[in-house]
PDB file of all heavy atoms in Angstrom:
ATOM      1  N   ILE A   1      13.616  80.650  -5.273  1.00 50.00           N
ATOM      2  CA  ILE A   1      13.427  80.291  -6.666  1.00 50.00           C
ATOM      3  C   ILE A   1      12.813  81.476  -7.434  1.00 50.00           C
ATOM      4  O   ILE A   1      13.264  81.828  -8.514  1.00 50.00           O
ATOM      5  CB  ILE A   1      12.544  79.037  -6.813  1.00 50.00           C
ATOM      6  CG1 ILE A   1      13.317  77.824  -6.276  1.00 50.00           C
ATOM      7  CG2 ILE A   1      12.126  78.830  -8.258  1.00 50.00           C
ATOM      8  CD1 ILE A   1      12.470  76.580  -6.149  1.00 50.00           C
ATOM      9  N   GLY A   2      11.812  82.108  -6.839  1.00 53.00           N
ATOM     10  CA  GLY A   2      11.190  83.272  -7.472  1.00 53.00           C
ATOM     11  C   GLY A   2      12.177  84.419  -7.664  1.00 53.00           C
ATOM     12  O   GLY A   2      12.177  85.056  -8.709  1.00 53.00           O
ATOM     13  N   ALA A   3      12.999  84.662  -6.695  1.00 52.00           N
ATOM     14  CA  ALA A   3      13.970  85.734  -6.790  1.00 52.00           C
ATOM     15  C   ALA A   3      15.010  85.434  -7.877  1.00 52.00           C
ATOM     16  O   ALA A   3      15.454  86.305  -8.599  1.00 52.00           O
ATOM     17  CB  ALA A   3      14.656  85.962  -5.442  1.00 52.00           C
ATOM     18  N   LEU A   4      15.376  84.154  -7.974  1.00 49.00           N
ATOM     19  CA  LEU A   4      16.361  83.789  -8.985  1.00 49.00           C
ATOM     20  C   LEU A   4      15.832  83.988 -10.411  1.00 49.00           C
ATOM     21  O   LEU A   4      16.565  84.414 -11.289  1.00 49.00           O
ATOM     22  CB  LEU A   4      16.784  82.325  -8.806  1.00 49.00           C
ATOM     23  CG  LEU A   4      17.713  82.057  -7.628  1.00 49.00           C
ATOM     24  CD1 LEU A   4      17.941  80.568  -7.478  1.00 49.00           C
ATOM     25  CD2 LEU A   4      19.050  82.769  -7.829  1.00 49.00           C
ATOM     26  N   VAL A   5      14.578  83.662 -10.648  1.00 48.00           N
ATOM     27  CA  VAL A   5      14.044  83.785 -12.001  1.00 48.00           C
ATOM     28  C   VAL A   5      13.317  85.093 -12.224  1.00 48.00           C
ATOM     29  O   VAL A   5      12.851  85.374 -13.304  1.00 48.00           O
ATOM     30  CB  VAL A   5      13.117  82.590 -12.347  1.00 48.00           C
ATOM     31  CG1 VAL A   5      13.882  81.312 -12.403  1.00 48.00           C
ATOM     32  CG2 VAL A   5      11.950  82.500 -11.398  1.00 48.00           C
ATOM     33  N   GLY A   6      13.223  85.935 -11.214  1.00 50.00           N
ATOM     34  CA  GLY A   6      12.658  87.278 -11.392  1.00 50.00           C
ATOM     35  C   GLY A   6      11.143  87.343 -11.356  1.00 50.00           C
ATOM     36  O   GLY A   6      10.554  88.309 -11.804  1.00 50.00           O
ATOM     37  N   PHE A   7      10.478  86.323 -10.854  1.00 49.00           N
ATOM     38  CA  PHE A   7       9.015  86.340 -10.847  1.00 49.00           C
ATOM     39  C   PHE A   7       8.435  86.671  -9.481  1.00 49.00           C
ATOM     40  O   PHE A   7       7.229  86.639  -9.313  1.00 49.00           O
ATOM     41  CB  PHE A   7       8.463  84.977 -11.286  1.00 49.00           C
ATOM     42  CG  PHE A   7       8.740  84.694 -12.731  1.00 49.00           C
ATOM     43  CD1 PHE A   7       9.517  83.615 -13.109  1.00 49.00           C
ATOM     44  CD2 PHE A   7       8.232  85.522 -13.715  1.00 49.00           C
ATOM     45  CE1 PHE A   7       9.764  83.362 -14.407  1.00 49.00           C
ATOM     46  CE2 PHE A   7       8.476  85.256 -15.045  1.00 49.00           C
ATOM     47  CZ  PHE A   7       9.254  84.185 -15.397  1.00 49.00           C
ATOM     48  N   TRP A   8       9.224  87.002  -8.537  1.00 48.00           N
ATOM     49  CA  TRP A   8       8.699  87.272  -7.211  1.00 48.00           C
ATOM     50  C   TRP A   8       7.899  88.554  -7.215  1.00 48.00           C
ATOM     51  O   TRP A   8       8.299  89.576  -7.746  1.00 48.00           O
ATOM     52  CB  TRP A   8       9.846  87.378  -6.207  1.00 48.00           C
ATOM     53  CG  TRP A   8       9.346  87.641  -4.833  1.00 48.00           C
ATOM     54  CD1 TRP A   8       8.820  86.752  -3.980  1.00 48.00           C
ATOM     55  CD2 TRP A   8       9.290  88.903  -4.193  1.00 48.00           C
ATOM     56  NE1 TRP A   8       8.458  87.368  -2.818  1.00 48.00           N
ATOM     57  CE2 TRP A   8       8.719  88.707  -2.911  1.00 48.00           C
ATOM     58  CE3 TRP A   8       9.662  90.187  -4.518  1.00 48.00           C
ATOM     59  CZ2 TRP A   8       8.528  89.702  -2.005  1.00 48.00           C
ATOM     60  CZ3 TRP A   8       9.461  91.195  -3.605  1.00 48.00           C
ATOM     61  CH2 TRP A   8       8.889  90.946  -2.367  1.00 48.00           C
ATOM     62  N   LEU A   9       6.718  88.484  -6.653  1.00 51.00           N
ATOM     63  CA  LEU A   9       5.890  89.657  -6.490  1.00 51.00           C
ATOM     64  C   LEU A   9       5.723  89.921  -4.996  1.00 51.00           C
ATOM     65  O   LEU A   9       5.626  88.992  -4.209  1.00 51.00           O
ATOM     66  CB  LEU A   9       4.511  89.449  -7.115  1.00 51.00           C
ATOM     67  CG  LEU A   9       4.474  89.302  -8.630  1.00 51.00           C
ATOM     68  CD1 LEU A   9       3.051  89.014  -9.083  1.00 51.00           C
ATOM     69  CD2 LEU A   9       4.982  90.545  -9.298  1.00 51.00           C
ATOM     70  N   PRO A  10       5.664  91.177  -4.633  1.00 54.00           N
ATOM     71  CA  PRO A  10       5.430  91.477  -3.217  1.00 54.00           C
ATOM     72  C   PRO A  10       4.078  90.929  -2.754  1.00 54.00           C
ATOM     73  O   PRO A  10       3.251  90.562  -3.591  1.00 54.00           O
ATOM     74  CB  PRO A  10       5.444  93.004  -3.171  1.00 54.00           C
ATOM     75  CG  PRO A  10       5.870  93.468  -4.514  1.00 54.00           C
ATOM     76  CD  PRO A  10       5.807  92.325  -5.448  1.00 54.00           C
ATOM     77  N   PRO A  11       3.842  90.904  -1.473  1.00 55.00           N
ATOM     78  CA  PRO A  11       2.602  90.336  -0.937  1.00 55.00           C
ATOM     79  C   PRO A  11       1.334  90.952  -1.521  1.00 55.00           C
ATOM     80  O   PRO A  11       0.321  90.308  -1.624  1.00 55.00           O
ATOM     81  CB  PRO A  11       2.693  90.575   0.559  1.00 55.00           C
ATOM     82  CG  PRO A  11       4.130  90.843   0.844  1.00 55.00           C
ATOM     83  CD  PRO A  11       4.734  91.343  -0.417  1.00 55.00           C
ATOM     84  N   HIS A  12       1.375  92.230  -1.919  1.00 54.00           N
ATOM     85  CA  HIS A  12       0.171  92.877  -2.429  1.00 54.00           C
ATOM     86  C   HIS A  12      -0.070  92.511  -3.895  1.00 54.00           C
ATOM     87  O   HIS A  12      -1.073  92.928  -4.472  1.00 54.00           O
ATOM     88  CB  HIS A  12       0.236  94.401  -2.250  1.00 54.00           C
ATOM     89  CG  HIS A  12       1.477  95.041  -2.757  1.00 54.00           C
ATOM     90  ND1 HIS A  12       1.755  95.168  -4.073  1.00 54.00           N
ATOM     91  CD2 HIS A  12       2.540  95.570  -2.086  1.00 54.00           C
ATOM     92  CE1 HIS A  12       2.944  95.764  -4.240  1.00 54.00           C
ATOM     93  NE2 HIS A  12       3.419  96.013  -3.022  1.00 54.00           N
ATOM     94  N   GLY A  13       0.835  91.762  -4.540  1.00 56.00           N
ATOM     95  CA  GLY A  13       0.610  91.261  -5.883  1.00 56.00           C
ATOM     96  C   GLY A  13       1.033  92.183  -7.009  1.00 56.00           C
ATOM     97  O   GLY A  13       0.861  91.871  -8.173  1.00 56.00           O
ATOM     98  N   ARG A  14       1.601  93.352  -6.703  1.00 59.00           N
ATOM     99  CA  ARG A  14       2.040  94.274  -7.740  1.00 59.00           C
ATOM    100  C   ARG A  14       3.547  94.374  -7.743  1.00 59.00           C
ATOM    101  O   ARG A  14       4.179  94.306  -6.708  1.00 59.00           O
ATOM    102  CB  ARG A  14       1.433  95.667  -7.492  1.00 59.00           C
ATOM    103  CG  ARG A  14      -0.062  95.689  -7.635  1.00 59.00           C
ATOM    104  CD  ARG A  14      -0.647  97.016  -7.332  1.00 59.00           C
ATOM    105  NE  ARG A  14       0.045  98.064  -8.063  1.00 59.00           N
ATOM    106  CZ  ARG A  14      -0.051  99.348  -7.784  1.00 59.00           C
ATOM    107  NH1 ARG A  14      -0.799  99.739  -6.786  1.00 59.00           N
ATOM    108  NH2 ARG A  14       0.591 100.257  -8.477  1.00 59.00           N
ATOM    109  N   ARG A  15       4.098  94.554  -8.928  1.00 58.00           N
ATOM    110  CA  ARG A  15       5.539  94.766  -9.045  1.00 58.00           C
ATOM    111  C   ARG A  15       5.878  96.178  -8.572  1.00 58.00           C
ATOM    112  O   ARG A  15       5.070  97.086  -8.712  1.00 58.00           O
ATOM    113  CB  ARG A  15       5.972  94.606 -10.482  1.00 58.00           C
ATOM    114  CG  ARG A  15       5.907  93.208 -10.966  1.00 58.00           C
ATOM    115  CD  ARG A  15       6.535  93.091 -12.339  1.00 58.00           C
ATOM    116  NE  ARG A  15       6.588  91.700 -12.703  1.00 58.00           N
ATOM    117  CZ  ARG A  15       6.173  91.238 -13.841  1.00 58.00           C
ATOM    118  NH1 ARG A  15       5.718  92.020 -14.764  1.00 58.00           N
ATOM    119  NH2 ARG A  15       6.242  89.956 -14.091  1.00 58.00           N
ATOM    120  N   PRO A  16       7.074  96.352  -8.042  1.00 61.00           N
ATOM    121  CA  PRO A  16       7.495  97.720  -7.700  1.00 61.00           C
ATOM    122  C   PRO A  16       7.454  98.601  -8.940  1.00 61.00           C
ATOM    123  O   PRO A  16       7.644  98.124 -10.070  1.00 61.00           O
ATOM    124  CB  PRO A  16       8.925  97.524  -7.195  1.00 61.00           C
ATOM    125  CG  PRO A  16       9.057  96.067  -6.890  1.00 61.00           C
ATOM    126  CD  PRO A  16       8.089  95.354  -7.735  1.00 61.00           C
ATOM    127  N   ALA A  17       7.244  99.896  -8.774  1.00 59.00           N
ATOM    128  CA  ALA A  17       7.098 100.825  -9.866  1.00 59.00           C
ATOM    129  C   ALA A  17       8.298 100.765 -10.838  1.00 59.00           C
ATOM    130  O   ALA A  17       8.142 100.845 -12.037  1.00 59.00           O
ATOM    131  CB  ALA A  17       6.929 102.237  -9.356  1.00 59.00           C
ATOM    132  N   ARG A  18       9.508 100.583 -10.299  1.00 64.00           N
ATOM    133  CA  ARG A  18      10.692 100.561 -11.174  1.00 64.00           C
ATOM    134  C   ARG A  18      10.690  99.340 -12.093  1.00 64.00           C
ATOM    135  O   ARG A  18      11.341  99.330 -13.122  1.00 64.00           O
ATOM    136  CB  ARG A  18      11.957 100.585 -10.339  1.00 64.00           C
ATOM    137  CG  ARG A  18      12.219  99.330  -9.547  1.00 64.00           C
ATOM    138  CD  ARG A  18      13.493  99.441  -8.691  1.00 64.00           C
ATOM    139  NE  ARG A  18      13.784  98.258  -7.988  1.00 64.00           N
ATOM    140  CZ  ARG A  18      13.093  97.731  -6.989  1.00 64.00           C
ATOM    141  NH1 ARG A  18      12.001  98.334  -6.567  1.00 64.00           N
ATOM    142  NH2 ARG A  18      13.466  96.610  -6.395  1.00 64.00           N
ATOM    143  N   ASP A  19       9.956  98.269 -11.725  1.00 63.00           N
ATOM    144  CA  ASP A  19       9.912  97.048 -12.531  1.00 63.00           C
ATOM    145  C   ASP A  19       8.706  96.991 -13.468  1.00 63.00           C
ATOM    146  O   ASP A  19       8.651  96.123 -14.329  1.00 63.00           O
ATOM    147  CB  ASP A  19       9.874  95.821 -11.622  1.00 63.00           C
ATOM    148  CG  ASP A  19      11.144  95.696 -10.805  1.00 63.00           C
ATOM    149  OD1 ASP A  19      12.173  96.293 -11.200  1.00 63.00           O
ATOM    150  OD2 ASP A  19      11.131  95.002  -9.772  1.00 63.00           O
ATOM    151  N   ARG A  20       7.744  97.890 -13.285  1.00 59.00           N
ATOM    152  CA  ARG A  20       6.568  97.897 -14.144  1.00 59.00           C
ATOM    153  C   ARG A  20       6.882  98.572 -15.456  1.00 59.00           C
ATOM    154  O   ARG A  20       7.664  99.510 -15.519  1.00 59.00           O
ATOM    155  CB  ARG A  20       5.414  98.654 -13.482  1.00 59.00           C
ATOM    156  CG  ARG A  20       4.721  97.795 -12.454  1.00 59.00           C
ATOM    157  CD  ARG A  20       3.524  98.542 -11.922  1.00 59.00           C
ATOM    158  NE  ARG A  20       3.843  98.825 -10.519  1.00 59.00           N
ATOM    159  CZ  ARG A  20       3.498  99.887  -9.858  1.00 59.00           C
ATOM    160  NH1 ARG A  20       2.793 100.818 -10.419  1.00 59.00           N
ATOM    161  NH2 ARG A  20       3.830 100.048  -8.610  1.00 59.00           N
ATOM    162  N   PRO A  21       6.256  98.101 -16.562  1.00 61.00           N
ATOM    163  CA  PRO A  21       6.468  98.811 -17.824  1.00 61.00           C
ATOM    164  C   PRO A  21       5.971 100.230 -17.745  1.00 61.00           C
ATOM    165  O   PRO A  21       4.952 100.502 -17.118  1.00 61.00           O
ATOM    166  CB  PRO A  21       5.654  97.999 -18.823  1.00 61.00           C
ATOM    167  CG  PRO A  21       4.952  96.949 -18.076  1.00 61.00           C
ATOM    168  CD  PRO A  21       5.368  97.004 -16.653  1.00 61.00           C
ATOM    169  N   ARG A  22       6.727 101.153 -18.351  1.00 59.00           N
ATOM    170  CA  ARG A  22       6.340 102.567 -18.346  1.00 59.00           C
ATOM    171  C   ARG A  22       5.143 102.755 -19.266  1.00 59.00           C
ATOM    172  O   ARG A  22       5.154 102.320 -20.411  1.00 59.00           O
ATOM    173  CB  ARG A  22       7.501 103.411 -18.819  1.00 59.00           C
ATOM    174  CG  ARG A  22       7.367 104.843 -18.471  1.00 59.00           C
ATOM    175  CD  ARG A  22       8.548 105.640 -18.911  1.00 59.00           C
ATOM    176  NE  ARG A  22       8.035 106.507 -19.959  1.00 59.00           N
ATOM    177  CZ  ARG A  22       8.679 106.809 -21.049  1.00 59.00           C
ATOM    178  NH1 ARG A  22       9.862 106.357 -21.290  1.00 59.00           N
ATOM    179  NH2 ARG A  22       8.150 107.595 -21.954  1.00 59.00           N
ATOM    180  N   PRO A  23       4.084 103.411 -18.794  1.00 58.00           N
ATOM    181  CA  PRO A  23       2.929 103.622 -19.660  1.00 58.00           C
ATOM    182  C   PRO A  23       3.227 104.599 -20.789  1.00 58.00           C
ATOM    183  O   PRO A  23       4.065 105.476 -20.632  1.00 58.00           O
ATOM    184  CB  PRO A  23       1.861 104.193 -18.712  1.00 58.00           C
ATOM    185  CG  PRO A  23       2.642 104.803 -17.610  1.00 58.00           C
ATOM    186  CD  PRO A  23       3.904 104.008 -17.477  1.00 58.00           C
ATOM    187  N   VAL A  24       2.565 104.402 -21.907  1.00 57.00           N
ATOM    188  CA  VAL A  24       2.727 105.301 -23.048  1.00 57.00           C
ATOM    189  C   VAL A  24       2.004 106.593 -22.707  1.00 57.00           C
ATOM    190  O   VAL A  24       0.851 106.592 -22.303  1.00 57.00           O
ATOM    191  CB  VAL A  24       2.154 104.657 -24.318  1.00 57.00           C
ATOM    192  CG1 VAL A  24       2.185 105.638 -25.470  1.00 57.00           C
ATOM    193  CG2 VAL A  24       2.926 103.405 -24.672  1.00 57.00           C
TER     194      VAL A  24
END
């Protein structure tokens, strides 16, 4: 379900770098 809706987070609780918003 998480993978389908895009809310799955890895076990450490952080999104992979490619999915994180780019900092200004």
